[in-house]
């Protein structure tokens, strides 16, 4: 038997015996607004979460931001956010911007929290004079192929401009 045939035969025996093992290292990607630990006030499953935000009457506010970072803080591109259900009592918009990441201590990306990084931002502007609740739903697609629906309950609070402030209650 030639040496080449002998090597092929030994490799086949090793494979059948379970001696040949291929190692694959999977490194999870953690993203803000995605599979990362969710902030307080967030409930749901990884595929669908419900968030609550408070916005002052008449003021535009950022509701959330979406960004992906490698461990060396280099941005990961490919996050796509779509507004599925527009709010009934205001307007929502998506903008490119920067935000400070919020990785928890112990996360290999926690050092990235020191610098504003590129992010896609979700903004909300309540309708003039409106106070009460509003709802907004977005779909977030992450570069690793996962998607997440996020439902925001937005509480618009405060005094309508020109309205008299509430009277204090006497002791």
């Amino acid at each position: 038997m030639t040496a080449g045939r002998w090597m092929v035969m030994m490799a086949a025996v090793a494979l059948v015996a379970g001696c040949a093992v291929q190692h694959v290292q999977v490194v999870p990607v953690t993203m803000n607004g995605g599979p990362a630990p969710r902030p307080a006030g967030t409930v749901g499953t990884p595929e669908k979460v419900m968030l609550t935000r408070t916005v002052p009457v008449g003021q535009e506010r950022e509701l959330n931001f979406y960004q992906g970072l490698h461990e060396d803080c280099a941005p990961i591109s490919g996050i796509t956010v779509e507004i599925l259900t527009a709010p009934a009592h205001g307007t929502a918009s998506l903008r490119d911007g920067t935000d400070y990441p919020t990785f928890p201590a112990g996360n290999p990306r926690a050092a990235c929290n020191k610098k504003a990084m590129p992010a896609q931002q979700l903004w909300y502007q309540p309708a003039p004079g409106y106070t009460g609740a509003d709802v907004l739903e977005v779909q977030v697609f992450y570069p690793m192929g996962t998607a997440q629906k996020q439902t925001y309950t937005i509480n618009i609070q405060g005094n309508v401009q020109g309205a008299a402030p509430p009277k204090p209650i006497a002791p």
Side-chain angles (χ1 to χ4, degrees):
M1 192 180 279
T2 65
R5 284 185 153 175
W6 174 253
M7 292 297 286
V8 170
M9 191 164 148
M10 290 306 293
V13 169
L15 186 60
V16 171
C19 296
V21 178
Q22 180 182 7
H23 293 277
V24 177
Q25 183 179 10
V26 177
V27 179
V29 176
T30 306
M31 305 212 175
N32 289 342
R38 292 180 292 218
T42 304
V43 296
T45 65
E47 298 83 29
K48 184 169 172 112
V49 295
M50 298 181 329
L51 302 107
T52 303
R53 299 288 189 264
T54 301
V55 174
V57 65
Q59 294 185 26
E60 183 178 48
R61 289 293 162 101
E62 182 180 357
L63 298 180
N64 207 348
F65 64 93
Y66 308 91
Q67 63 188 185
L69 301 172
H70 292 284
E71 288 185 16
D72 66 355
C73 302
I76 299 172
S77 62
I79 297 175
T80 304
V81 183
E82 295 177 4
I83 296 173
L84 296 178
T85 306
H89 304 287
T91 56
S93 61
L94 295 164
R95 302 178 191 162
D96 290 330
T98 60
D99 272 291
Y100 285 87
T102 56
F103 293 104
N107 184 302
R109 293 166 182 83
C112 304
N113 296 349
K114 298 175 185 174
K115 183 179 177 189
M117 303 300 290
Q120 188 164 20
Q121 302 167 325
L122 175 63
W123 288 80
Y124 174 80
Q125 171 75 50
Y130 180 78
T131 59
D134 207 350
V135 176
L136 163 67
E137 188 174 54
V138 299
Q139 178 88 36
V140 185
F141 298 95
Y142 295 98
M144 70 285 255
T146 59
Q148 182 180 70
K149 282 188 181 179
Q150 297 179 347
T151 302
Y152 290 84
T153 300
I154 306 159
N155 298 308
I156 299 96
Q157 297 179 346
N159 292 327
V160 177
Q161 196 170 24
K167 294 182 180 182
I169 299 173

